[in-house]
Structures are given as structure tokens and as C-alpha cells.
Amino acid sequence: MWTKEECNSFFKKTLGLELIDEELINALTYLQARNLSPNSSHGDWNIGFTPLKLIELVNFALEKTKGKLQDTRFKKVSEEIFPTIYFTLLLAKLNYGKHLIVSSDVPDIALVPIEALGDRRGNTINAFPLECIFLPPEVINNTAGENDSQKIAKLIIEKKFIKRYVPQTTLLISLNKPIENLNITEISDLLLKNEAQPFHQVWIFCNLGSDDISLTQLCPSLLAYNLNIQTDLNPLLY
């Protein structure tokens, strides 16, 4: 079982949230009840959160700190957690079931099908790994290429295709601003032509402004979904 200090470190690293003693005790009770590997020999906890619970925790953190998602302390939330929440809700919308979100280091996220919770064998549980990469506008602008689509494909290949991942890994790329004249088809074609492509699937998340987003599967085939958070995704929260 984690100490209060370890619990505080988890919430600070994952959600930018620092808890007082009473809040830590309550958090430990909550986490212990949702530990997916209670008999882990190495002492780590795999804590699964629903999308709704993560949003509640983030809102609590923002209210408690009087902060904004753009603040440095919420870097993991804005660059990894929220894109993953929307991706998970899209999976539910497409009838791929509901998943718990587990924050880790390698890969960045593990998605655990809720229906798999009853099929545990010993310390193992079915899950699929999700690797995340966030591409800031300034990084895209400073990358060589004839257009933003080529620059984004170049960055993905240079940063992620050179590494090894288990075959089930999905890559989720995030852009926090709409890019004018972005050619998603060109990005998909460039990635598919690269023989080193190591991922089961590659997706790109784009914030289109206000409550509109796009989630597009780039590999192994092109599938685009334009969504409104309020009308298309929030009703699916669990």
C-alpha cells in the first residue's frame, strides 16, 4: 500500500494536484479500492479511472489551485489525459466498450476494458497500451518540410518510429490548435509508406476550437471523426 507521500506524488505528477492530509487519506481509500494489481510483487499500483472520475479530479484540481489547463503543472493533463479521455469516449461511441484509464510511464497510458475486470488471472489483466505525443505549434513551425502535414509526419517518424513497442500499442498524437489547410490524408500516406511504422494503430487528436475536436485514425487506414464534446461525447461519460 502506498504511503501518503507516495499518494501525493502520484496526484501531483498525474493531475498537478497537491492534497492536504485529510484529502490524502480519502484518496488512498479510493485508490486502494480501484487497484488493478493488488498483489504486485514490485509494489507499484495500477490505478484505473473512468473518464468521468478523471474530469472530476481535474476540475477539483483547477478549483483548488485557481489554475488553468494551460499552466505548466497541468501539462500531463492537457497533453495526455484529456486527449485520452476523448479517445476513450469515442471507443465507447463506436461500440468498442468502456475502458478504465491507467496512467503509467512506458507506455504513457494503458486502457483496461471494464468487461475484462472479471477475467483476471493472477496479477494479469487484459489491457492495450496507448503511447501519447503532443506537438506544440512552435515545434511544428521549426521542423523542415514543405507544409505542416509533412512536418507533422516527419516529427512522428523521428520521435516515435525509431522506438520499439509491443505490437498492440496505439499511438495518439495531439495538436492543441487547429492548423490551417492541414492535410490529414497526406500525413496518413507518409506514415503508411514508412516501413518502420511500429504501431497497431495511429490516431491524431486536433482541438478545433470551442467544443469541437477531430479524432482521426491515420494507420492502418484513414477514418475521420469530427465531434462536439458537449453533444457527442459528454453524454457518454461513465
Side-chain angles (χ1 to χ4, degrees):
M1 181 175 176
W2 279 347
T3 64
K4 286 189 291 186
E5 290 74 18
E6 289 169 330
C7 180
N8 194 38
S9 176
F10 171 81
F11 278 101
K12 184 176 181 180
K13 178 182 177 182
T14 307
L15 298 172
L17 179 61
E18 294 186 63
L19 302 174
I20 62 173
D21 195 68
E22 182 180 353
E23 291 169 340
L24 282 171
I25 294 172
N26 291 334
L28 276 169
T29 302
Y30 177 89
L31 295 179
Q32 189 174 18
R34 287 154 181 83
N35 182 14
L36 300 180
S37 56
N39 300 316
S40 173
S41 59
H42 48 71
D44 290 339
W45 278 13
N46 292 320
I47 308 299
F49 295 95
T50 66
L52 179 59
K53 186 61 180 181
L54 278 175
I55 289 176
E56 289 175 350
L57 287 168
V58 171
N59 288 338
F60 175 67
L62 291 172
E63 182 179 350
K64 184 179 176 69
T65 62
K66 308 300 180 185
K68 299 179 180 179
L69 277 177
Q70 294 74 27
D71 296 346
T72 303
R73 69 188 301 162
F74 298 116
K75 178 179 173 66
K76 188 175 180 71
V77 170
S78 60
E79 296 181 3
E80 294 180 14
I81 299 296
F82 265 117
T84 299
I85 287 173
Y86 301 138
F87 178 67
T88 304
L89 292 175
L90 177 61
L91 292 179
K93 185 176 180 67
L94 297 175
N95 295 318
Y96 288 110
K98 298 177 179 179
H99 293 76
L100 297 180
I101 298 169
V102 179
S103 178
S104 59
D105 291 320
V106 182
D108 298 304
I109 303 286
L111 296 183
V112 178
I114 289 179
E115 64 180 18
L117 294 178
D119 297 328
R120 280 194 253 184
R121 294 180 177 87
N123 292 341
T124 64
I125 190 170
N126 291 330
F128 75 85
L130 188 69
E131 183 70 11
C132 300
I133 179 173
F134 172 72
L135 299 179
E138 60 271 18
V139 172
I140 298 171
N141 293 338
N142 293 330
T143 300
E146 294 182 5
N147 54 51
D148 284 335
S149 303
Q150 291 183 14
K151 293 178 181 181
I152 289 170
K154 185 174 188 293
L155 284 167
I156 296 167
I157 292 168
E158 289 180 348
K159 291 180 178 292
K160 293 298 179 181
F161 281 22
I162 61 173
K163 300 180 180 180
R164 291 186 178 182
Y165 300 91
V166 297
Q168 298 84 0
T169 305
T170 290
L171 177 65
L172 178 61
I173 307 134
S174 297
L175 308 175
N176 68 350
K177 291 183 179 180
I179 296 179
E180 190 175 354
N181 299 320
L182 183 65
N183 189 332
I184 292 290
T185 302
E186 183 176 14
I187 299 174
S188 176
D189 289 342
L190 289 170
L191 298 185
L192 287 169
K193 288 177 183 177
N194 192 291
E195 295 182 356
Q197 203 286 94
F199 297 101
H200 174 63
Q201 294 181 348
V202 178
W203 288 75
I204 187 166
F205 163 86
C206 298
N207 185 342
L208 303 178
S210 186
D211 286 326
D212 294 320
I213 64 170
S214 69
L215 272 162
T216 303
Q217 179 184 281
L218 301 174
C219 304
S221 58
L222 189 63
L223 297 170
Y225 302 93
N226 291 324
L227 303 157
N228 180 275
I229 294 171
Q230 296 298 329
T231 59
D232 296 320
L233 297 180
N234 279 358
L236 301 172
L237 281 169
Y238 54 92

